[in-house]
Amino acid sequence: MVATKEGVLGGVRVSRARAAYARLYVDLLTDWSWISRRVETIAVLTDGLRERTVSFDIDVNALRTRAKKYGLARADHIPVPLGILNKGLILDFDLRNSRGEAVSLFNSAEDSAMVGLVGYVAAGGLPSHCRERAFEIMRDVALDFPTADAVMQWYVHDDAKTPIVPDVVSQMSPSDRKVWQYLVASEHGSLIERMAVAFVPTTWYDLGKGEELFKLRRVEDERDPLIELLKRTHARNARASAIPGAGLVAVRVSETSGPVREHIRLVAPPGTFFAVGVFLLWNATSPIQYEYRDRQTHTRQIFYPGKVSEWTRVRSRYVFSLMLPNPQGVMRPVLLWTWTIFILLLAGAIAQLSPFEVLSYIHGSPSSPGAMVDAAVTVLLIIPSIGLAYVVRSDENDVRHTLLRYVRGWALFCLIPVLLASLALFVDLSNDKPLLGLIWLACAGVVGLSLRINLLTSIRLRRFLREVERAAANTSLRQIVSEPKLNPFRKLPLSVRTARAFILGVNFVATLVPAIIRWIGWTAVCLLGFGLILSILGWFFTATRHEDFSFYGVVIFQADASLLDFFDVIAGRIRELPATFSRAMQNSERGLVFATVAAAVAMVPVSWGKLSTR
């Protein structure tokens, strides 16, 4: 019962020899034990672009035993499936053997013929003309390209209650639809439904040569509706507990419809690393118990799938990972640049608010206004401009560039207060000289907020990277029960939803109130610290210039104040702080408002929680 290649793939009529090839093909599709090992390496190129390399170690003796089982022991070539892949945009597709030689794959017509034979086998209990019609129906299903809604329907439907009906089948006659229903209800029903949204890359395998290794490489634009949905669902928790700007990578894993010894490797783009990853099996209607082992380095994650409670209910497999930018080579220039701007503005504010009034001196006297303003503005703008080349880089891949948008956005935000501080030098504030210093102080406070955010981000990135490097030598066993939770609130009764909303509201208030209290406290500490610095400068001024030091009409230190007087005055001002601040606020009108706003902005609560990497 040996047929030629053309006899296996051509025509509608199915001979006994052709039926033997069909049964062998279905057996290989449902029991993948003839593959000794399967290694899939997935490289993330962009947000949706993936490069996948899958190597197959084939047990030649097991394959020959299968062929002999169906009377094909003398066959030179048999059709061998190499996985089950979702239909989608594939930019590059290449199959090679162990010697690197190109191996031809079935084209769409030949693939659809093999899927038609799957339908023929599944319709084994029907009359011959119905089986041939099942062949034609499955061939049309294989050639049809499903919509995103059809793929999503396959992911979330209930096998027992809502069987899949592809669009091409819904347009057929009632008798054809009954044949389809029979196919779905057969023992190969899950495989039949899978063929509506997937295809099987197949090649002719030479039993005489007995090739033991194949490598299948493809580059595809992965736009899977379930991946997008799960990505949005998990993003609420993962983003809230990780670093702002972190990338959530959801990658579909090629399916085999049965247990295979597998290694799944997810490779990070250059300049990035994976902080945490989970291997998930998906079924929309009931939980799946499974286990796997994993290892991780800072450049890749490796998963070793293990036992699964019931393979027939595995609807899809994917890896969900948190990808972060590597802080090396980028965070140090960003922080140095931000620190430089912050110190420049803060030093200018202190110098102006001190009795020396440096910025007013730069502004010039009434007889020669603006004598040194141009030079000062040039220095103020040129320093950030030089450092800008180290902050904004154009020689990075798209993924790293996207992950660093948050960090660089806050760094570039510092240019706004620098510009405002520069413009303040051109405004005549000779009648209110402290106001110029307070404006610079407010600008320094805004830069301080950016500095705090990027500093905390840098600390967390380095902590994640160290923990990943420490755990690189460990292999962990995970035992998971995967439960479908697309929208856990959708089916709850109104009273339960209301109670849950009330609990969430209470938790929000319980978190917000302490944050506001801490915010107010740190703002007060910041103002007191800055006031202490000005007091030290004022005492130094009175000791060297022999003049009183006053701030908005409030005499802080009298001329020739001793060090003992300094401590007495500070203690007295602290006791009279509300009255002193109120008087200075009235005299300064809008001036001290800048100082208060600067301190409040600089101490804005910056916290996103913690995410353990193991």
Side-chain angles (χ1 to χ4, degrees):
M1 292 194 305
V2 178
T4 63
K5 295 181 180 178
E6 293 76 11
V8 174
L9 298 175
V12 176
R13 189 172 183 81
V14 180
S15 62
R16 291 182 60 190
R18 194 180 185 189
Y21 282 91
R23 287 191 291 272
L24 170 62
Y25 188 72
V26 172
D27 188 15
L28 296 178
L29 271 175
T30 53
D31 181 3
W32 294 80
S33 59
W34 53 275
I35 295 180
S36 301
R37 188 179 68 160
R38 177 181 176 278
V39 180
E40 180 170 9
T41 303
I42 307 170
V44 179
L45 303 182
T46 64
D47 182 42
L49 206 61
R50 312 280 186 258
E51 181 181 18
R52 300 171 182 266
T53 303
V54 185
S55 64
F56 302 89
D57 291 340
I58 295 178
D59 187 343
V60 181
N61 292 329
L63 209 54
R64 288 171 177 167
T65 302
R66 296 279 187 96
K68 184 178 180 180
K69 175 182 177 182
Y70 294 98
L72 301 175
R74 294 186 299 166
D76 295 330
H77 296 80
I78 59 173
V80 172
L82 298 175
I84 302 176
L85 311 180
N86 275 24
K87 295 178 180 178
L89 179 59
I90 297 179
L91 306 178
D92 195 2
F93 207 37
D94 183 34
L95 178 65
R96 295 185 179 273
N97 58 21
S98 58
R99 298 179 298 277
E101 300 170 346
V103 179
S104 63
L105 287 163
F106 284 13
N107 57 33
S108 59
E110 294 168 336
D111 272 330
S112 61
M114 293 308 301
V115 174
L117 290 176
V118 173
Y120 182 88
V121 172
L126 296 177
S128 59
H129 70 281
C130 292
R131 279 180 285 169
E132 292 179 357
R133 187 57 192 153
F135 172 89
E136 295 179 344
I137 293 173
M138 289 304 301
R139 185 182 58 185
D140 293 342
V141 168
L143 291 173
D144 185 48
F145 201 90
T147 63
D149 292 339
V151 176
M152 195 64 201
Q153 181 188 7
W154 181 84
Y155 277 128
V156 302
H157 82 287
D158 188 329
D159 295 314
K161 298 180 181 179
T162 55
I164 288 294
V165 180
D167 292 338
V168 64
V169 175
S170 63
Q171 299 172 6
M172 294 181 179
S173 64
S175 60
D176 288 342
R177 290 198 292 272
K178 289 183 179 179
V179 173
W180 171 260
Q181 293 173 1
Y182 180 88
L183 295 177
V184 171
S186 68
E187 62 174 321
H188 303 300
S190 60
L191 182 61
I192 293 293
E193 288 186 331
R194 187 74 179 97
M195 293 300 102
V197 294
F199 75 99
V200 181
T202 307
T203 187
W204 286 110
Y205 183 80
D206 191 334
L207 288 175
K209 291 183 178 180
E211 290 282 356
E212 295 182 352
L213 179 66
F214 286 99
K215 288 187 177 181
L216 181 65
R217 174 186 170 275
R218 71 185 189 274
V219 178
E220 62 180 353
D221 188 9
E222 188 175 64
R223 303 294 179 183
D224 190 305
L226 176 64
I227 284 180
E228 296 300 323
L229 178 61
L230 293 172
K231 193 173 179 180
R232 291 193 301 269
T233 303
H234 290 286
R236 299 189 187 97
N237 296 330
R239 281 192 186 276
S241 55
I243 298 173
L248 295 167
V249 179
V251 179
R252 186 180 61 248
V253 178
S254 302
E255 297 170 44
T256 56
S257 294
V260 178
R261 183 187 172 199
E262 288 183 287
H263 296 175
I264 299 169
R265 302 169 181 171
L266 187 62
V267 181
T272 65
F273 70 97
F274 292 115
V276 62
V278 181
F279 179 68
L280 295 175
L281 304 185
W282 170 257
N283 183 283
T285 57
S286 57
I288 302 175
Q289 295 182 358
Y290 64 98
E291 65 181 33
Y292 67 91
R293 298 180 183 272
D294 65 349
R295 294 188 67 179
Q296 180 173 350
T297 67
H298 68 282
T299 58
R300 62 179 57 197
Q301 289 180 330
I302 306 173
F303 301 92
Y304 308 94
K307 298 178 182 178
V308 180
S309 60
E310 190 175 347
W311 261 104
T312 57
R313 292 191 295 105
V314 176
R315 198 64 57 80
S316 183
R317 308 186 302 167
Y318 67 97
V319 173
F320 185 77
S321 297
L322 180 66
M323 185 166 59
L324 302 173
N326 195 319
Q328 298 178 356
V330 63
M331 293 307 300
R332 183 174 297 176
V334 167
L335 292 177
L336 288 176
W337 190 68
T338 312
W339 268 114
T340 301
I341 297 176
F342 176 73
I343 292 174
L344 191 63
L345 292 175
L346 183 62
I350 294 174
Q352 175 63 16
L353 293 173
S354 69
F356 303 101
E357 299 178 344
V358 176
L359 296 182
S360 296
Y361 174 76
I362 293 175
H363 195 276
S365 61
S367 60
S368 58
M372 302 175 64
V373 170
D374 293 342
V377 171
T378 301
V379 171
L380 186 60
L381 294 179
I382 199 67
I383 294 178
S385 300
I386 293 174
L388 193 61
Y390 296 94
V391 174
V392 180
R393 305 285 295 275
S394 59
D395 57 344
E396 297 175 333
N397 61 75
D398 294 339
V399 177
R400 178 178 169 87
H401 180 76
T402 301
L403 294 178
L404 289 172
R405 282 189 303 184
Y406 181 86
V407 170
R408 287 181 173 143
W410 273 109
L412 295 177
F413 178 72
C414 297
L415 292 175
I416 297 176
V418 169
L419 182 60
L420 294 177
S422 302
L423 294 176
L425 290 176
F426 290 100
V427 180
D428 184 10
L429 297 174
S430 56
N431 295 327
D432 193 358
K433 293 180 180 180
L435 181 59
L436 180 60
L438 293 173
I439 292 175
W440 274 52
L441 178 61
C443 294
V446 175
V447 175
L449 173 63
S450 171
L451 179 62
R452 289 179 61 230
I453 291 176
N454 281 341
L455 185 60
L456 287 175
T457 301
S458 177
I459 293 172
R460 290 175 179 176
L461 285 175
R462 294 182 185 280
R463 186 194 68 206
F464 273 113
L465 187 58
R466 285 195 301 269
E467 292 183 2
V468 169
E469 291 174 346
R470 283 198 300 266
N474 300 328
T475 300
S476 302
L477 174 63
R478 317 287 184 182
Q479 294 179 333
I480 297 178
V481 178
S482 177
E483 296 185 6
K485 292 181 180 180
L486 287 181
N487 189 350
F489 296 100
R490 180 170 52 192
K491 297 181 179 181
L492 293 177
L494 181 61
S495 57
V496 177
R497 292 203 309 267
T498 304
R500 176 62 67 89
F502 175 76
I503 295 174
L504 292 177
V506 171
N507 291 338
F508 175 75
V509 173
T511 305
L512 182 63
V513 172
I516 293 177
I517 294 175
R518 287 195 300 268
W519 186 5
I520 295 174
W522 280 111
T523 301
V525 171
C526 183
L527 288 172
L528 289 174
F530 191 78
L532 183 60
I533 294 175
L534 289 182
S535 299
I536 295 173
L537 292 175
W539 174 79
F540 180 76
F541 174 79
T542 60
T544 55
R545 294 288 187 91
H546 309 289
E547 299 178 11
D548 293 344
F549 170 57
S550 61
F551 186 74
Y552 279 118
V554 179
V555 177
I556 306 299
F557 297 106
Q558 295 180 351
D560 299 323
S562 64
L563 184 60
L564 186 60
D565 295 334
F566 170 78
F567 290 108
D568 290 339
V569 170
I570 293 299
R573 291 303 177 190
I574 291 177
R575 288 194 300 269
E576 302 174 0
L577 183 62
T580 303
F581 186 78
S582 176
R583 182 181 173 189
M585 182 70 76
Q586 293 175 357
N587 294 337
S588 67
E589 297 179 353
R590 56 189 175 174
L592 287 181
V593 174
F594 282 96
T596 306
V597 171
V601 169
M603 292 295 111
V604 167
V606 181
S607 177
W608 305 284
K610 298 180 179 180
L611 179 66
S612 173
T613 60
R614 298 310 296 170

